[in-house]
Amino acid sequence: MRRLPAYLRPLWLVLIVVLGCDGGNGPSAGNLTVTVLGVPAGSSAAITVTGPGGFSQPVTATQTFTQVTPGTYTVAASSITVGASEYAPSPPNQTVTVNGSANASVRYAPATGNLAITVSGLGTASSAAVTVTGPNSYTQAVTASTTILGLTPGSYTVTARDTTATGGTSETASPNVQVVSVQARQTASANVTYTPPPNGGSVNLRIAGMYLTQSAQNSAGSVPLVKGRNGYLRVFVVANNANTAAPAVRVRFFNGGALPFDSTLILSPGLATPTVVDESSLSYSWNFPVPGSWILPGFAISAEVDPANAVAETIETDNVFPAAGTELMDVRVVPAIDVVFVPILQKGIPLNRRVRGNVTAANKDQYLQLTQRMHPIESYNATVHADYTTFTLDTLQADNGNGAWGTILGELDAVRVTEHSPKYYYGVVKVSYTSGVAGVAYVSVSGNTVGSGARAALGWDWLPSGGTVAAHELGHNWGRNHAPCGGPAGIDPQYPHSDGSTGTYGVDVSPTPTLEPATDSDIMGYCANKWISDYTYNGVLTYLLNPSPPQTAVVSQSVQPCLLVWGHIRNGEIVLEPAFQVNTRPSLPAQPGPYSLEARSDDGSSAFALSFAPNEVADAGGSQQNFAFAVPMPASKAARLSSLRVTGRGREALTLASSAGAADSVAVRRVGGNHVSLRWNATAQPMVMVRDAVTGQVLSLARGGDVEFSTSQSQLDLVFSNGVRSHLKRVQVTR
């Protein structure tokens, strides 16, 4: 998907797919053919093609543009009117990348409307007897509430007949006949109400099932629960035929004992009892919000319908569920999630024009509230890092054509590795658009990296949609690939629903229980109306119970002198960033991969060599992978390094220690408020790591030799890198 509406939850996550090209003398001119289909003879299409360099041309019929500049072109088609009929284009908007010969196709067809039929009063086991007739001899039988799509505009007759419920009793339909006008691009509605028969003393009630959900659950109730998290109990009572019975349900709660610690009476949600289990409405189940303090290992539930025998039943001995007594809940203990929010300051000279991602101690919870309600976590700890200033030359773009999203994500991960943190680092950026790339993240793979893992993500600061972005990007950090909805790359081949829907009914438990339809798209897809599937919920839960790397592997390694080696691979090209000697926990590949990293000393000997698979950057568009390692290395050995080399897949990147001389002069001064100016010899030292001398937090990975960044501290640690070796200098910020 390529464009979003104004951001309100639910969100269209926009994660743009961009094609890259490389090498040579630059691409040559290409051809673009626009094929137009379905336009009636004698009529013209209404299409506009726009592209690079101000290209804009109308298209009224099939046409080929030759010798056009390579790049991304937009084909926008509008509806046309032929006689009394409106013809709509499909698709109305599309983009196509010209790199040689490219094609786009637009098909026109008569615009259609929809008709929503709502059937009520039947109970859930009986079938309606409704027939819809209309133009061009159209006829359609309807047996339940539905929306008929793609109708030719005109008058439609909805005829409803009486029907017979289970048990042979008649149900009366009203109205019997109604005429509805269906208009193009609109949804008309018709309502049919059935009057159920009285009980007649022939009803039997039983509990067909129940489940406790905290977000996502399946009908069997097999999704595990999270200790301490609020839940919502749904009890499904059914009757043997249509009825007007409204029984109560008594629910008892146990916690490892023979006697219940609590009991509650749930009144009927309606004026009749359904005849089959139907999860599609909360009014079809007997419901109770269960406090998280009750949901502990050993938690069990039992339920009984009509405990006071207020309803005359044919059988009174099948009202308890489960029949064996109690149902033991599967409760898991999930550790609290630790998230460090990093406000990102981006390109803009002077500093007062830099844009800061809006995350503060006051609003940080807004980024995690949906994550907490949707994902299998009970609690989180969120802190806000000092402002981080990036000096990448590219600004964040809606289509990420320059790769800036992945570049800043790589810097953020280098910061995390330097600060030897096992927490999730979530950068927050401000963008100039409301429709485009909204976030990027690494996708965790079990065992990918020792002491590191894929614990970095980046998202925009538009709220409340920024919370939905965070729920998606953190899902990547927790090992989830994309659900197949909206055309994302990196689809999970095991996702169980081909349309990317959740496939199960969910409940947003807090603050007011809200049913999430099974047709919602999964949070890991690109479509709207998002919730989480039981498949994704289970996958995240499995990861959080056994994360990669295990928490014990991170904390068991002592902080020691290490060489930070980092960079990225974009569209096949390898980029090595300047290395730094830092004190941190080692972060090394756990298994070999298609790329090799080698460091050599002044005497030509190998200082170290390792093989690795870089971290995939999800949602960035194009092809980008990042890497950041902390290789154990004493200062004496690091001081003798002369080169770093990364090779793989037929490509190579080599960094040599700069011979341009030392950084002779460094000027650090405050230029107003929290703004600090830093000047140094960038020819000798292409990058400086700026750190808070008190907390050790990284404030910037500065490039260019003349920069401004944000800090209120009066003392800083500057780590100057000549590309391979580095040295530390503590400085005072002068006025």
Side-chain angles (χ1 to χ4, degrees), residues 421-500:
S421 176
K423 301 178 180 180
Y424 295 91
Y425 273 42
Y426 192 91
V428 179
V429 296
K430 185 173 292 297
V431 297
S432 60
Y433 53 86
T434 57
S435 175
V437 175
V440 296
Y442 294 143
V443 182
S444 287
V445 179
S446 180
N448 184 46
T449 308
V450 171
S452 175
R455 300 195 173 194
L458 193 67
W460 70 11
D461 67 354
W462 294 117
L463 290 171
S465 69
T468 308
V469 175
H472 177 100
E473 304 304 345
L474 287 171
H476 284 312
N477 279 183
W478 296 330
R480 295 294 91 201
N481 282 303
H482 285 129
C485 189
I491 290 176
D492 181 353
Q494 303 301 319
Y495 194 83
H497 309 293
S498 60
D499 62 353

Side-chain angles (χ1 to χ4, degrees), residues 312-697:
E313 297 184 67
T314 57
I315 302 174
E316 295 284 0
T317 58
D318 61 351
N319 289 9
V320 175
F321 184 89
T326 61
E327 183 170 345
L328 182 65
M329 302 288 109
D330 181 2
V331 180
R332 310 289 181 87
V333 180
V334 179
I337 304 303
D338 295 316
V339 179
V340 177
F341 285 106
V342 183
I344 306 294
L345 278 76
Q346 300 168 59
K347 181 178 179 181
I349 302 296
L351 180 65
N352 58 17
R353 292 177 54 193
R354 283 192 175 274
V355 289
R356 177 188 185 275
N358 180 27
V359 60
T360 64
N363 72 2
K364 60 181 171 60
D365 291 330
Q366 295 183 50
Y367 289 93
L368 290 176
Q369 286 168 351
L370 181 62
T371 297
Q372 186 179 32
R373 300 205 315 265
M374 188 181 293
H375 285 288
I377 62 173
E378 189 276 322
S379 63
Y380 62 82
N381 302 309
T383 57
V384 179
H385 191 280
D387 292 353
Y388 173 81
T389 304
T390 178
F391 291 96
T392 178
L393 297 178
D394 296 318
T395 56
L396 294 173
Q397 297 177 349
D399 64 357
N400 195 34
N402 58 15
W405 278 91
T407 299
I408 297 175
L409 178 65
E411 292 184 14
L412 181 68
D413 197 35
V415 170
R416 184 189 62 82
V417 172
T418 299
E419 294 178 359
H420 50 81
S421 176
K423 301 178 180 180
Y424 295 91
Y425 273 42
Y426 192 91
V428 179
V429 296
K430 185 173 292 297
V431 297
S432 60
Y433 53 86
T434 57
S435 175
V437 175
V440 296
Y442 294 143
V443 182
S444 287
V445 179
S446 180
N448 184 46
T449 308
V450 171
S452 175
R455 300 195 173 194
L458 193 67
W460 70 11
D461 67 354
W462 294 117
L463 290 171
S465 69
T468 308
V469 175
H472 177 100
E473 304 304 345
L474 287 171
H476 284 312
N477 279 183
W478 296 330
R480 295 294 91 201
N481 282 303
H482 285 129
C485 189
I491 290 176
D492 181 353
Q494 303 301 319
Y495 194 83
H497 309 293
S498 60
D499 62 353
S501 66
T502 61
T504 54
Y505 289 91
V507 175
D508 187 351
V509 174
S510 176
T512 301
T514 304
L515 184 70
E516 300 292 339
T519 54
D520 276 359
S521 65
D522 187 83
I523 183 63
M524 298 312 299
Y526 281 5
C527 295
N529 300 322
K530 292 185 175 298
W531 195 243
I532 192 170
S533 64
D534 59 333
Y535 174 82
T536 296
Y537 191 94
N538 271 324
V540 171
L541 178 61
T542 298
Y543 181 86
L544 293 178
L545 292 174
N546 185 28
S548 171
Q551 296 284 354
T552 53
V554 175
V555 299
S556 65
Q557 299 181 59
S558 61
V559 173
Q560 57 190 281
C562 292
L563 186 71
L564 173 67
V565 185
W566 59 298
H568 63 263
I569 301 143
R570 183 180 300 153
N571 298 324
E573 293 296 329
I574 305 171
V575 174
L576 257 174
E577 298 285 8
F580 291 93
Q581 183 76 7
V582 293
N583 287 329
T584 187
R585 291 189 178 95
S587 174
L588 297 170
Q591 56 191 11
Y595 291 89
S596 296
L597 167 64
E598 184 179 24
R600 289 194 173 273
S601 300
D602 290 333
D603 60 3
S605 63
S606 176
F608 66 82
L610 53 87
S611 173
F612 68 95
N615 282 322
E616 293 286 345
V617 179
D619 305 325
S623 173
Q624 178 150 344
Q625 302 163 304
N626 293 351
F627 57 90
F629 304 118
V631 183
M633 181 172 291
S636 59
K637 188 175 181 179
R640 298 193 300 272
L641 290 180
S642 62
S643 68
L644 292 168
R645 185 190 306 267
V646 173
T647 58
R649 301 194 187 280
R651 303 293 180 96
E652 176 183 85
L654 173 66
T655 299
L656 301 175
S658 172
S659 59
D664 297 324
S665 62
V666 177
V668 184
R669 64 185 183 88
R670 192 166 301 282
V671 292
N674 289 340
H675 302 168
V676 172
S677 169
L678 169 63
R679 293 183 179 181
W680 77 98
N681 180 359
T683 302
Q685 315 286 349
M687 183 175 286
V688 178
M689 178 185 290
V690 182
R691 305 188 71 170
D692 185 314
V694 176
T695 66
Q697 289 188 333

